[in-house]
Amino acid sequence: MYDCLKQEVEQLIAAMKQNPTHILRWRKQEEELKKTPELYLEHKNIYSEEFVFQPEEDIMVYPDFPYIGYPVTDLEEQKKFEQTYFHRHEFFELFYIYEGTCYCYFNEKEYVLEKGSTWIFNTQCRHAIVVPNDGSLLVNIIVRKSTFIATMLNIIQQNDLFLEFFLNSIYSNQDQPRYMKFNIHPGDMAEFYIFNIIREYYQKSRYSQSAMKLSFSSLLIELSRLYYETHHLIKNDVKPNIVEIISYISDHFSTVTLKSLSEHFHYSTAYLSRCISNYTNMTFSEYVNQYKMDKARYLLKNSELPIDQIAHLLGYHQRSSFEKEFKKLAGKTPSQYRKIFSDTYL
């Protein structure tokens, strides 16, 4: 099974290198942004989900390699060129060195990454990546932040390593470089899940996005096991109990109140309110509401549940209250938002 999957992925990668539609699409979008300099400058600083993802995508795969017509061939010149593209992004990014050697820059340091290296960056960490024009290839697996909050947070509740990392990545106000790195060997289960994500993304079979979410969650479990063997983690201090507090809210988002939260954790409401605000830069109510809206977007896009039922699942007693809150944050009614994605699949 592994050999067949590996062969499939090799064929898909070869086809993508022959016809790099993903790179050409991004180039076209960037050319459009350049017509509005302030938007282009903002894009160079932080890559938005709107720029990167297609409407129907929650997870996407982006093979990175110098394309035909790339302006630089000398490695040192290429490094200088790519370092003008220091950036961060709104979404989660995991990159895997599929072939050759790549170079990563952040915090004024150069890191040489060999085949099998797998890194996950904090979304707040500015970095640049150089893929040499020598056959090297890097595979990016990127996940919408809203998708992670709505679907994957519950899956990794027991995985303290990644739960803490991703929660800090979403809510920490500290702009400090932070990453996790792993080394995957041929035949590892982690490599199997990466290959499966690549295959699902490019075959685009029915339920591919759902299969990719499951494979990504399984990949995190395998990487967590690797971490406890290698201990390659750079981390910052986190507030006591905040991971458990956020996890509890995600488990009870439809009914949780500040009072019930304080009773469960045996802290005062004032302390918990201050703790959540410091960590997420939102009040308790704002955080719970944001979580509900992320969940609502996911259900509207990925399920056929009636809007009345979605409102009930999110803890709203009246559909009108849900619709009012959703439109305030999303700029569209739930029906209008759902129609965008139903039209996409027609």
Side-chain angles (χ1 to χ4, degrees), residues 152-260:
M152 295 183 187
L153 197 58
N154 287 333
I155 295 175
I156 64 167
Q157 289 272 338
Q158 303 304 316
N159 189 330
D160 293 341
L161 171 67
F162 281 106
L163 186 61
E164 179 182 323
F165 178 86
F166 285 116
L167 288 176
N168 275 323
S169 186
I170 297 170
Y171 300 117
S172 175
N173 297 321
Q174 299 180 10
D175 187 17
Q176 296 182 14
R178 188 168 186 261
Y179 66 91
M180 303 175 73
K181 64 179 181 178
F182 311 88
N183 189 43
I184 296 175
H185 300 287
D188 284 351
M189 283 301 298
E191 184 193 53
F192 173 85
Y193 290 121
I194 289 174
F195 284 177
N196 197 51
I197 290 169
I198 296 171
R199 177 181 63 179
E200 289 289 346
Y201 182 75
Y202 284 100
Q203 286 187 342
K204 297 191 184 302
S205 304
R206 187 183 294 272
Y207 310 124
S208 282
Q209 286 286 318
S210 296
M212 290 166 68
K213 292 170 198 171
L214 292 172
S215 289
F216 188 80
S217 299
S218 298
L219 172 60
L220 294 184
I221 291 171
E222 291 302 322
L223 292 179
S224 182
R225 290 169 174 166
L226 283 175
Y227 158 73
Y228 286 113
E229 295 174 3
T230 59
H231 296 278
H232 288 316
L233 174 68
I234 296 177
K235 60 181 290 185
N236 302 317
D237 292 335
V238 296
K239 279 188 169 295
N241 299 312
I242 190 62
V243 171
E244 290 86 352
I245 290 167
I246 296 296
S247 297
Y248 183 86
I249 293 173
S250 68
D251 273 344
H252 303 85
F253 67 91
S254 64
T255 58
V256 68
T257 64
L258 193 54
K259 184 174 184 295
S260 66

Side-chain angles (χ1 to χ4, degrees), residues 126-157:
R126 296 183 73 249
H127 60 281
I129 303 291
V130 174
V131 184
N133 193 14
D134 61 359
S136 296
L137 187 142
L138 175 149
V139 174
N140 289 285
I141 298 173
I142 56 182
V143 184
R144 288 184 189 267
K145 185 184 292 187
S146 59
T147 298
F148 185 87
I149 294 171
T151 64
M152 295 183 187
L153 197 58
N154 287 333
I155 295 175
I156 64 167
Q157 289 272 338

